[in-house]
Amino acid sequence: MKDYLVTIFGGGGFVGRQVAQALLARGARVRIAQRDPSTALRVKPLGGLGQVQFIAADIRNPANVARAVSGSDVVINLVGILKGDFDAFHHRGAANVAKAAADAGVGALVHMSAIGADADSPSAYGRSKAAGEAAVKVAFPTATIIRPSIIFGAEDQFLNRFAQIIAMLPVVPVIGGATKFQPVYVADVAQAIANAAEQPGVHGGQTYELGGPQVQGMTDINQWIATATGRNKPLVDVPHAAAKLLAMLPGGPITSDQLAMLGRDNVVAPGAKGLDALGVVATPMAGVADKWMVRYRKHGRFAGRVSA
C-alpha cells in the first residue's frame, strides 16, 4: 500500500488509531477524517514526515464527506456510537460515506459494523447497524463489511471499565451475566481491516465476523478480570427487572438499548468468515491484557513482590 492515500473516518478513536498504525507500517498515507481533528493528533507521531494528514468531517454531512474522500485510494469507515441518534451515524452517515467513495472512484471501501447487526434486532443499535450495512452494499457493492464482537485493548471501555468497578465495590453487580461474548483484540481487528483494505480483489463484497479464541459469559469475563487484578470479590447477577429500573435512570450504568442488546449473545455465527479468512491469528485476552490490567491491582505493578 506504499503511497496509497487511505481516508479513515473515525481514525482518531480507539480502533482508528490502531488501524492507522497498521496502514502507516505498510507505507500508506493516512488521512484522518474526524469531527474534531484535534482529538486525533496522537496519530501524527505514528507516521513519517507528511504521512499523516487531518481533515474535519462529519459523516452526517454529505458535503463534508465528499471533501474528505476526494483523492483517496481507499476509504475506511469506523464511526460508531453507543448512545444517541444511531440512525444518523450508523445508517445515514454510512450511506454518505459509501456514496461519496463510489462517486470519487475509490478502489476499496471497508465498513465496520458489529456482530448483532440485524433488521429485527430488539435494539435500535442493532437495527441501525443492519440498515447501514444495507445502504453501504447498495452504494458500493464491493465494500468489505467487518463485524467485530466486543473489542478489548489497553484503552478500551470494556475491560478497563469493569476493572474500575471491581476495584471500587465490595460486591460486584453483573448485568446480563449469562450473555456470551467473543472478545477480540483491537490490534487483530486493525490488521484484519488493513488486510481487507489492501486486498479488495480478495475481500471486496465479503462480510467477516471477528471474534477472539474464547467465548465467555459476562459473569465469566468479570471473574477473569477480578482474578487478573487480584481482587476476588463476590459477583452478584442483577435480575432483569432491576436492570430495567437501572436503565431508566438518567446517567445510569446502562441504557435501555444496551440492555436490549444483552438479550442476545454476541459471538461469531457458525460458518461465518472470520479473522483467519483475513490472515490474522486471534490473540487470547490472557496473553496481552496483563500489560495494562496490572494497574488495577491493589499495589499496581508492584503487587505480589516480597517486602524488603
Side-chain angles (χ1 to χ4, degrees):
M1 298 191 77
K2 185 170 175 58
D3 295 329
Y4 274 40
L5 176 59
V6 184
T7 295
I8 310 175
F9 288 89
F14 166 55
V15 177
R17 291 191 295 273
Q18 293 282 335
V19 172
Q21 188 168 7
L23 292 166
L24 291 167
R26 302 177 191 212
R29 293 178 294 132
V30 171
R31 176 186 289 161
I32 305 297
Q34 199 90 356
R35 277 187 286 170
D36 180 1
S38 68
T39 63
L41 293 179
R42 291 169 61 188
V43 177
K44 194 171 184 64
L46 301 178
L49 183 64
Q51 202 179 0
V52 181
Q53 55 185 261
F54 302 90
I55 188 168
D58 186 329
I59 65 170
R60 296 171 295 181
N61 185 318
N64 273 191
V65 173
R67 183 168 59 93
V69 164
S70 179
S72 301
D73 298 293
V74 177
V75 171
I76 298 172
N77 180 23
L78 305 175
V79 175
I81 59 173
L82 293 175
K83 57 184 177 180
D85 190 347
F86 296 123
D87 198 65
F89 290 93
H90 298 162
H91 176 201
R92 299 193 302 274
N96 289 339
V97 172
K99 184 179 185 304
D103 290 346
V106 169
L109 171 64
V110 181
H111 172 75
M112 191 168 81
S113 181
I115 288 178
D118 183 349
D120 296 320
S121 172
S123 75
Y125 175 92
R127 294 192 298 273
S128 69
K129 284 290 190 179
E133 287 186 12
V136 167
K137 290 174 183 177
V138 168
F140 204 110
T142 59
T144 303
I145 307 295
I146 302 292
R147 293 176 168 181
S149 183
I150 196 148
I151 303 173
F152 71 90
E155 298 175 334
D156 68 29
Q157 291 299 313
F158 172 54
L159 295 185
N160 286 299
R161 181 185 180 193
F162 290 131
Q164 289 168 354
I165 293 171
I166 290 168
M168 289 188 301
L169 301 179
V171 176
V172 182
V174 181
I175 298 174
T179 303
K180 291 182 171 58
F181 295 86
Q182 199 166 345
V184 58
Y185 187 35
V186 65
D188 293 344
V189 174
Q191 290 298 329
I193 289 172
N195 289 349
E198 188 171 19
Q199 298 179 298
V202 176
H203 304 297
Q206 304 292 320
T207 297
Y208 297 92
E209 297 198 355
L210 309 187
Q214 292 176 294
V215 173
Q216 297 171 287
M218 183 64 82
T219 297
D220 296 330
I221 291 170
N222 275 271
Q223 184 59 65
W224 182 87
I225 295 169
T227 301
T229 57
R231 296 178 182 273
N232 288 304
K233 297 179 180 181
L235 304 179
V236 177
D237 282 331
V238 177
H240 186 69
K244 286 179 70 174
L245 290 175
L246 289 172
M248 292 190 290
L249 295 175
I254 192 170
T255 67
S256 295
D257 201 72
Q258 289 166 349
L259 184 60
M261 282 192 283
L262 284 173
R264 291 185 176 182
D265 291 339
N266 194 275
V267 300
V268 173
K273 294 181 179 179
L275 282 174
D276 55 345
L278 285 159
V280 178
V281 177
T283 302
M285 198 159 62
V288 291
D290 191 60
K291 295 175 185 176
W292 67 88
M293 296 299 286
V294 66
R295 67 179 180 267
Y296 297 106
R297 294 176 185 165
K298 189 173 182 180
H299 300 293
R301 63 191 179 91
F302 299 104
R305 290 192 176 183
V306 177
S307 299

